[in-house]
Amino acid sequence: MKFKICYLSHTNIGDFMSIWDKSYREHEVIKVSKNITCDVLIIGAGMTGMNTAYFLSDKADICLVEARQYGMGITRNTTAKVTVFQDIIYSKIMDKYNSLVATNYFHSQKEAITFLRKIIESEKISCDFERSTAYVFATKNNDIFKLNREVKLLKQLGCDIQNIRTEIGVCYGLEESFVFNPIKYLNELYDILKMKNIPIYENSPITKIERDNDHYIAHVNGYKITSNKIVLACHYPFFVLGYILPIRSYLEKSHIIVSESDNISKINYISAGMPIMSSRYYKNFKISLGKSHNLAFSFDDKKNSSKVTDTFDLEESSIIDCYSNVDLITFDYLPFIGKIKPNMFIATGYNTWGMTNSVLAAKIISDMLLDRENTYRRLFDPKRLNINLLKCLPRNIFSQLKSYFHISKLSPKTCPHMGCKLIYNPIEDIYECPCHSSRFSKDGKLLKGPATKDCE
Ligand SMILES: Cc1cc2nc3c(=O)[nH]c(=O)nc-3n(C[C@H](O)[C@H](O)[C@H](O)COP(=O)(O)OP(=O)(O)OC[C@H]3O[C@@H](n4cnc5c(N)ncnc54)[C@H](O)[C@@H]3O)c2cc1C
């Protein structure tokens, strides 16, 4: 078996080692240790929170508060590909809506890439950002049909997509795509925000938010942060937002294996449709991702991880890390970005394309906070209610309940967030909540929210 290697890779930041942890920069961690007042409180310092803080840094009185350390949420385990060629997302959106909505989504992603490049270039951020063709391939008839439809739309929109010869199905490549190191990017964004005297508090989980007349009070480390506005950049909110999650989305977990070799092939690809097979290179490393599934439906991490190793035919001796990651998939494949309550904003549901969507969300939300127009605010309105989101509701509730009762029999440990039973993940040596993806060390220490306290 191939797992003992992974156990060796623990860090003092958390549970395991992701490929990007090696780039993490030591810095002084400042916790919330007094009552604070600000205009805009941003909760969460991943790609979304840090980009939002960047866009607002010169124009608003903001405060950024992070439960652990910046970048250590979902962003820590991403593969960080940046492209408008996102497997077959336009085809999926066309199935739910029409080609006009898919076209608008395309323009939003293109704009997000422009913003990201602009930030990197103007701030001279050194984050291994480089051009690298994005390939998408399909082998099954249904997926080939969808991929061909996707490519037809992208070509109509002006993308220079190349057809690549292959014996196993069809494959297309888009040269105008990129990869980067997200932690190096956040290291430098952190320095820029600090230079601008933006307060960034870490190891400070917000545990409760109250509304008091026309402002919010957030509770953290025994202190209060009073603000006029709140941006929830915390991936999965720690309190119940009944009408948004989970009834319009689900959490998708994927397994990632990092291997090292002197002759890594420098290509990035993803499969169209299921099962997902995705790969990218970083220096001498190959990051292979697969076995993506609804978090609540498959608990055998050893088997799932092993499947990825076999699918990519990885040499046991070349494997240096294995871990997993979870992202929110919305039933209509559009993110949730915008206002959900008076002066409260949310940005999540990126359907595993968060490098572009986090920048987009940061731009939309900062424009809303600064009373500026933004073309995409209606498209991604988190309160949208339509037949595409509602159609999936009964099936999702049924499967969530089925899985809840199944899990109840499996595990003795309970998540302090909403009482779901925790599942042991032997690959990362942690307990995991199959309902909302909170993570705990073996001795019950909280590693990742939405839970805000340790489990017993
Ligand atoms: C397997 C996988 C591969 C992916 N690959 C790609 C890719 O190649 N390209 C791409 O574009 N996207 C990719 N994504 C998607 C992308 O990684 C995510 O969408 C993105 O990183 C989300 O960023 P975020 O800032 O919204 O969330 P996070 O990075 O999770 O940041 C949220 C932060 O909020 C903090 N927080 C949570 N609760 C609290 C609280 N109560 N108080 C204070 N702070 C709190 C957390 O600690 C965390 O740091 C991938 C996703 C997965 C699962």
Side-chain angles (χ1 to χ4, degrees), residues 27-45:
H27 62 284
E28 190 194 354
V29 171
I30 300 169
K31 286 171 141 190
V32 172
S33 56
K34 59 177 185 205
N35 291 334
I36 296 168
T37 304
C38 62
D39 184 29
V40 184
L41 168 64
I42 302 169
I43 304 176

Side-chain angles (χ1 to χ4, degrees), residues 39 68 111 117 121 193 206 218 232 299 377 379 389:
D39 184 29
R68 298 178 72 196
E111 217 168 278
R117 291 184 69 181
E121 278 160 27
L193 293 171
I206 307 269
L232 295 172
F299 312 122
R377 43 193 289 182
L379 185 62
L389 290 166

Side-chain angles (χ1 to χ4, degrees), residues 43-48 65-68 73-75 78-81 204-206 233-235 238 254 256 289 325-327 350 352-356 452:
I43 304 176
M47 278 295 282
T48 305
V65 177
E66 162 58 45
R68 298 178 72 196
I74 306 302
T75 301
T78 186
T79 43
K81 297 177 188 171
S204 302
I206 307 269
C234 49
H235 190 250
F238 48 98
S254 302
I256 298 142
L289 179 158
N325 202 12
V326 173
D327 209 10
Y350 298 155
T352 74
W353 294 104
M355 299 302 104
T356 43
T452 52

Side-chain angles (χ1 to χ4, degrees), residues 124-135:
K124 300 190 175 45
I125 293 180
S126 145
C127 57
D128 305 325
F129 188 84
E130 63 181 60
R131 188 180 298 264
S132 172
T133 304
Y135 294 101

Side-chain angles (χ1 to χ4, degrees), residues 261-275:
S261 156
D262 287 338
N263 48 10
I264 289 287
S265 61
K266 303 234 161 199
I267 56 166
N268 301 315
Y269 60 83
I270 190 165
S271 57
M274 290 294 197

